[in-house]
Amino acid sequence: MEFSIKSGSPEKQRSACIVVGVFQPRKLSESAEVIDQSAKQYLSDLVRRGDMEGKAGSTLLLHNVPGTLSDRVLLVGLGKEKEFREKEYRNAIATAVRTLNETGGFDGTIFLTELPVKKRDVTWRIRQATIIALETLYRFDQLKSKKEDVRRPLRKLTFCVARRSELPAAELALAEGQAIADGQKLMKDLANLPGNYCTPTYLAEQAQVLAKEFGLGIEVLERADMEKLGMNTLLAVAQGSRQPPKFIVLKYQGGKPDAKPIVLVGKGVTFDTGGISLKPPSEMDEMKYDMSGAASVFGTLKATALMKLPLNVIGVVPTTENMPGGGAIKPGDVVTSMSGQTVEILNTDAEGRLILCDALTYVERFSPDCVVDIATLTGACVVALGSVVSGLFANNDGLARELLDAGQNAYDRAWQLPLWDDYQEQLKSNFADMANIGTRMGGAITAACFLARYTSKFEWAHLDVAGTAYRGGEKKGSTGRPVPLLTHFLLGRTEAVQREAKKSRNQKKKA
Ligand code: BES
Ligand code: MN
Ligand code: ZN
């Protein structure tokens, strides 16, 4: 898709279709008013006759509207003006793009990006519009022998801004939005790929591709390397599988050489059967998404590299299958993790924490500025929060705040849950330093508490994305979350770096 930004009046655009909004009930938006005037009340007549109420999600496609230079005008219902907020804005853009794509014109000029959204500026509106547009057009048909092609697909989108002075900010926001959407697409493609294609070896290969494309540093540890390091809880999960595990490290160096890295750790279970503690059959296919954390790390690194952020970011992905078999771990087995702490594996289906704990110990060597792990870790998190927000845990309030804010800005939200010591009691074991499960109560929290035992040396946050990373049912598919949250977090860190640089420049000037 080709994108551009423009500022100008709607009736003068030469386009296959221009898109303007109508509020409920029957109130033309500003750009619709402008068209209406040059069209001698064509739109207001239509609206008065009841052809367009302005209901959210409704559309009306008009051809050869007098007084305009475009082939078509698409009216998009926006709902009540007073209730027009972030979600409504996003939905309006999605409706516009979907309709444009089905309409048959090659290009569209969208004026909805001029609509005021409370507390949000032009940067937010353009970034979001870009992300939503690409999200709306995303398809995963790699594995279909016959692709359902749209007959005349949309090729070019123009977003309009109200003032010329907004153009520079809008151009930057467009580039950022495209990078984020590209990262999200990478995540979705990897996560949607089934377990027989997307194995640990495949993820390692894709990491190589990414490293080559963007000049990232890369290291892939093999089973023997992990044995030397003592990553025994990771290896314990892998021992039931015929697929060899991989431990992937990707380094993006956009910051000063001495700047401490932000480390992202992603759970990469390419298929989670539960192991000997086998899962029930219904919806087990969805456990191909158990590498969504890993995919989000790759996606975020790609977006970061595309935006050339002035940060050092390291992505770490422990990846394996979780399978039953003659060689698999058994409930009750005790294993010594890389940290030296011993773990009694009471349930082989609580495997995510077992691979993450060794990864979290491993990243100590980077002296990280902070560590964020991303994992489809617990069904309990889905029970607690549903699919609207991700679960957030942190051993540092500042870091938690930053991630919550990033989620708000990205409209990819998270909600903080407690990490209090009181919950640690559930992990007591009679035979090892800790068990890998607690009781049925507070399962998302005890899982996070388990990880907390491996993260005392740095600022750390944990995102449980079991409910948000993919959808089940009819709309089954990866959502690309939390790539928007993570990239907005890094954009926030970038602003901080730039503020610091400016401050020190000013200090030098004074001296
Ligand atoms: N990958 C699952 C968590 C999961 C469940 C993600 C449902 C998405 C949807 C994880 O490895 C797991 O099986 N967790 C267990 C932990 C339990 C045994 C303590 C769970 O949530 O049931
Ligand atoms: Mn599991
Ligand atoms: Zn799992």
Side-chain angles (χ1 to χ4, degrees), residues 208-263:
Q208 296 284 3
V209 171
L210 197 60
K212 203 158 186 198
E213 189 177 353
F214 295 102
L216 310 180
I218 181 164
E219 210 176 333
V220 177
L221 307 187
E222 305 293 335
R223 196 193 299 267
D225 305 312
M226 297 181 231
E227 278 165 4
K228 263 183 228 138
L229 286 165
M231 294 180 158
N232 297 317
T233 47
L234 168 50
L235 289 167
V237 175
Q239 78 190 38
S241 167
R242 295 194 183 178
Q243 293 291 337
K246 305 278 170 179
F247 191 93
I248 304 164
V249 181
L250 279 168
K251 290 186 185 168
Y252 168 77
Q253 286 272 353
K256 295 221 176 81
D258 59 339
K260 285 184 170 184
I262 297 164
V263 179

Side-chain angles (χ1 to χ4, degrees), residues 256-263 311-313 366-370 493:
K256 295 221 176 81
D258 59 339
K260 285 184 170 184
I262 297 164
V263 179
L311 304 169
N312 296 331
V313 184
F366 301 129
S367 311
D369 186 51
C370 65
R493 285 281 170 127

Side-chain angles (χ1 to χ4, degrees), residues 341 360 364 395 451-460:
Q341 301 177 90
L360 290 166
E364 283 174 12
N395 66 8
L451 299 179
R453 294 182 183 221
Y454 299 82
T455 56
S456 56
K457 300 220 170 84
F458 40 73
E459 288 183 13
W460 159 74

Side-chain angles (χ1 to χ4, degrees), residues 267 269 271-275 277 279 287 290 322 347-353 376-378:
K267 173 179 173 182
V269 175
F271 197 85
D272 180 12
T273 64
S277 313
K279 286 183 181 295
M287 283 301 119
D290 215 18
N322 184 25
N347 189 320
T348 65
D349 197 11
E351 85 296 341
R353 59 199 83 179
T376 45
L377 203 62
T378 65

Side-chain angles (χ1 to χ4, degrees), residues 402-423:
E402 269 183 271
L403 288 162
L404 290 169
D405 288 347
Q408 283 288 349
N409 290 336
Y411 207 81
D412 175 10
R413 294 164 298 177
W415 191 259
Q416 192 173 4
L417 295 167
L419 197 60
W420 292 318
D421 273 345
D422 311 56
Y423 292 94

Side-chain angles (χ1 to χ4, degrees), residues 293-477:
S296 78
V297 169
F298 289 174
T300 302
L301 279 172
K302 179 168 189 176
T304 304
L306 283 167
M307 291 189 278
K308 301 195 172 71
L309 298 186
L311 304 169
N312 296 331
V313 184
I314 301 180
V316 174
V317 167
T319 172
T320 176
E321 284 181 336
N322 184 25
M323 297 292 281
I329 37 167
K330 303 167 294 296
D333 284 1
V334 173
V335 177
T336 306
S337 66
M338 185 178 172
S339 72
Q341 301 177 90
T342 59
V343 182
E344 184 186 12
I345 301 173
L346 286 174
N347 189 320
T348 65
D349 197 11
E351 85 296 341
R353 59 199 83 179
L354 297 176
I355 73 169
L356 288 171
C357 71
D358 278 345
L360 290 166
T361 302
Y362 180 86
V363 303
E364 283 174 12
R365 68 187 56 208
F366 301 129
S367 311
D369 186 51
C370 65
V371 178
V372 181
D373 81 71
I374 307 99
T376 45
L377 203 62
T378 65
C381 190
V382 192
V383 173
L385 300 174
S387 59
V388 176
V389 296
S390 305
L392 172 72
F393 302 84
N395 66 8
N396 178 282
D397 287 337
L399 180 58
R401 189 71 257 156
E402 269 183 271
L403 288 162
L404 290 169
D405 288 347
Q408 283 288 349
N409 290 336
Y411 207 81
D412 175 10
R413 294 164 298 177
W415 191 259
Q416 192 173 4
L417 295 167
L419 197 60
W420 292 318
D421 273 345
D422 311 56
Y423 292 94
Q424 288 286 358
E425 276 173 35
Q426 284 196 30
L427 296 177
K428 269 192 197 145
S429 159
N430 287 352
F431 304 104
D433 297 343
M434 70 195 83
N436 78 327
I437 54 165
T439 63
R440 278 165 47 86
M441 291 175 345
I445 303 173
T446 47
C449 283
F450 181 95
L451 299 179
R453 294 182 183 221
Y454 299 82
T455 56
S456 56
K457 300 220 170 84
F458 40 73
E459 288 183 13
W460 159 74
H462 158 60
L463 283 165
D464 193 332
V465 295
T468 51
Y470 65 92
R471 276 183 279 267
E474 221 169 298
K475 286 192 178 159
K476 194 185 291 175

